[in-house]
Amino acid sequence: MLRYATRNSHHLPDHFYNIKADLPELPPPPLNPATRQPLKPEDLEIIFSRSFIDQEISLDRNIPIPAEVLEAYSIYRPTPLIYASRLKKYLDTPANIFYKFEGVSPTGSHKTNTALMQAFLANQDGVSALTTETGAGQWGAALAYAGSIFGIKVKVFMVRASFRQKPGRRIMIQLFGGEVLESPGPATESGKRFYQQDPEHPGSLGMAISEAVEVAAMNPEIKYTLGSVLDAVLMHQTVIGLEADSQAQELGFTPDLVVGCVGGGSNFAGLSFPFIRKNLTEKTGIKFLAVEPEVCPSITRGQLGYDHGDSVGLTPLLFMYSLGKDFIPPPIHAGGLRYHGMAPLVSHLVRLGIVEARAYPQEKVFQAAELFLKTEGILPAPESAHAIAAVVDEALVAKKSGKPLNILFNLSGHGFLDISAYEINRSGLSQH
Ligand SMILES: *Cc1c(COP(=O)(O)O)cnc(C)c1O
């Protein structure tokens, strides 16, 4: 079998896939936090740009990718689809393992896919600056990059634990011309709440979201952007799965199992939604597995219901699996997975029984990451390594049963800027 699909431009789709067009029922709508009534699109205009809202509420199946964004994509897309033959050989499994590698994007993760689209839309709407939060820094770096391409200023609230432990992406944001603030901090009312209790507060994504949303709500020329969770963000990521489907056809396989790690749910959704479509419309029996950290188990241990997307309660109420807006996950290395909630669309698919979830401890995740490095030669992001840990387990189950199957997973990013986490983990020190 061929080890790589080609990266020929014909694999790059000219549209995103909107799964809402094919769902048997839609998830419960977001609610206005003040009235608890279904949110009106106008309610969102205080913080989001108009064109983004149009995409968020659209029920069209295919949303065109603008030519300017396609051009920006074309420097790194199509991303590779790789047959993990050496991992397979090492595991001595009948399972065929394939991965889509999003680490080749300019900032090293899948987040660039939606960042470029969102910066393009903001530019179209005449927005001067975008503000956002970032955990490990991937989203902040992706947005700063996209802002530099489409001429938009970017202001990033970065979770303090990451700001201190992971200077690499903070520096990248600054190099792209973005502004970075440590969160929680004194610049906003939301930040002050936590900052005044403890100026060394490690922070959380939920708190950083509150700060960024507040800035957007107070300044009409500044809009807020989110790197995951929202329907439109998940839709932008489907460029991954649409490409993978086309490349898989070229390699002559169809996946039996699709795996991704989940923080807010976007890289998992991006790879899996176009394949879930096949289950919904062609009655294929593909399985879908979402993998989360044991210490931030929003799907496996959280509750399905309405909750805020941030810690202060400024955002709309989303119907999702959540550990509660006050939940502060411990500072694990996979900073991108430290979020209390789960995308409403992914939550909905779990509830419908289409997506399964599983949680893994950090130790096992790092073992899987090192095995992947030694066999496939790529250092994965600690987030992506959650997916690898599950893939290894599934490949070993296949070995026991002797049943061949095709596993496709999302290698959502590379781990070069997380290299110190690997050393800390190797030396057996704790997370700090
Ligand atoms: C942000 C991030 C994640 C988690 O976010 P999702 O929205 O769940 O995809 C996973 N992997 C990488 C590399 C990330 O940067």
Side-chain angles (χ1 to χ4, degrees):
M1 187 185 284
L2 283 174
R3 194 167 145 73
Y4 299 101
T6 64
R7 293 176 68 184
N8 193 304
S9 60
H10 75 257
H11 294 304
L12 182 59
D14 60 6
H15 63 275
F16 302 113
Y17 168 57
N18 183 1
I19 197 169
K20 284 188 279 192
D22 290 314
L23 287 174
E25 55 177 297
L26 289 174
L31 303 182
N32 182 315
T35 62
R36 292 192 74 96
Q37 292 303 307
L39 202 68
K40 298 189 208 78
E42 308 88 83
D43 297 344
L44 287 169
E45 280 179 38
I46 307 170
I47 56 171
F48 290 108
S49 77
R50 181 71 242 172
S51 312
F52 180 80
I53 297 167
D54 289 344
Q55 301 218 323
E56 182 66 16
I57 61 178
S58 174
L59 295 177
D60 294 348
R61 181 172 290 106
N62 296 327
I63 304 286
I65 305 177
E68 294 88 338
V69 175
L70 272 178
E71 192 203 12
Y73 281 168
S74 67
I75 71 153
Y76 69 98
R77 307 209 69 89
T79 60
L81 178 75
I82 302 172
Y83 178 49
S85 56
R86 296 188 64 229
L87 178 62
K88 172 186 165 84
K89 194 168 169 207
Y90 177 89
L91 296 172
D92 189 24
T93 172
N96 291 314
I97 303 167
F98 300 86
Y99 58 97
K100 188 79 170 138
F101 185 37
E102 291 296 306
V104 298
S105 94
T107 56
S109 83
H110 66 286
K111 296 216 172 64
T112 319
N113 301 329
T114 185
L116 286 166
M117 189 60 196
Q118 293 195 51
F120 170 80
L121 293 174
N123 174 275
Q124 247 194 345
D125 288 359
V127 170
S128 69
L130 288 172
T131 182
T132 196
E133 71 292 333
T134 198
Q138 287 103 332
W139 170 237
L143 192 68
Y145 166 69
S148 77
I149 291 203
F150 289 110
I152 301 277
K153 283 195 215 118
V154 170
K155 184 184 184 100
V156 181
F157 289 88
M158 186 166 188
V159 174
R160 179 169 287 102
S162 302
F163 187 99
R164 300 270 172 97
Q165 286 168 35
K166 299 197 165 179
R169 294 200 183 85
R170 168 173 61 74
I171 296 165
M172 272 184 52
I173 297 169
Q174 291 163 333
L175 285 173
F176 281 123
E179 182 191 351
V180 194
L181 291 101
E182 229 176 331
S183 168
T188 64
E189 292 304 316
S190 309
K192 270 187 211 158
R193 263 197 212 197
F194 303 100
Y195 181 76
Q196 282 170 351
Q197 286 165 18
D198 176 9
E200 298 294 305
H201 199 300
S204 71
L205 272 181
M207 288 174 197
I209 294 174
S210 303
E211 291 204 83
V213 166
E214 186 184 314
V215 165
M218 307 295 281
N219 300 282
E221 76 286 5
I222 301 181
K223 294 294 173 192
Y224 171 68
T225 58
L226 199 54
S228 185
V229 180
L230 298 177
D231 297 356
V233 176
L234 272 52
M235 182 179 76
H236 298 158
Q237 294 297 353
T238 59
V239 63
I240 303 171
L242 292 167
E243 268 177 26
D245 187 22
S246 172
Q247 290 171 310
Q249 285 175 34
E250 180 184 87
L251 287 185
F253 81 95
T254 51
D256 302 298
L257 172 66
V258 177
V259 184
C261 66
V262 282
S266 74
N267 86 87
F268 170 77
L271 179 64
S272 64
F273 283 7
F275 292 99
I276 290 177
R277 179 185 185 192
K278 292 178 193 278
N279 277 17
L280 294 172
T281 62
E282 298 166 31
K283 305 275 175 263
T284 50
I286 306 170
K287 290 196 157 56
F288 299 92
L289 180 59
V291 189
E292 57 188 14
E294 227 168 45
V295 297
C296 193
S298 48
I299 305 179
T300 52
R301 306 283 290 278
Q303 289 205 341
L304 184 61
Y306 277 108
D307 195 11
H308 289 282
D310 67 326
S311 300
V312 173
L314 302 178
T315 70
L317 290 160
L318 301 175
F319 194 80
M320 62 180 177
Y321 280 97
S322 175
L323 294 159
K325 75 175 180 31
D326 299 323
F327 180 83
I328 299 174
I332 49 169
H333 293 305
L337 306 187
R338 289 179 77 232
Y339 183 59
H340 66 270
M342 182 52 55
L345 280 172
V346 173
S347 297
H348 186 62
L349 290 161
V350 170
R351 191 179 68 147
L352 293 177
I354 296 172
V355 169
E356 244 179 82
R358 197 183 286 171
Y360 277 103
Q362 180 159 263
E363 202 182 283
K364 196 167 163 143
V365 167
F366 270 88
Q367 279 167 9
E370 285 199 26
L371 173 61
F372 194 76
L373 172 80
K374 284 177 188 148
T375 52
E376 294 295 310
I378 297 174
L379 184 71
E383 290 85 359
S384 321
H386 285 72
I388 300 173
V391 167
V392 168
D393 276 357
E394 291 299 312
L396 292 174
V397 168
K399 180 176 176 175
K400 261 207 191 112
S401 68
K403 268 201 223 133
L405 84 161
N406 295 326
I407 304 174
L408 171 63
F409 79 92
N410 201 357
L411 189 61
S412 50
H414 70 63
F416 292 156
L417 290 171
D418 307 280
I419 194 86
S420 59
Y422 280 88
E423 187 179 44
I424 293 165
N425 188 66
R426 290 207 77 173
S427 60
L429 299 171
S430 70
Q431 278 127 28
H432 294 282

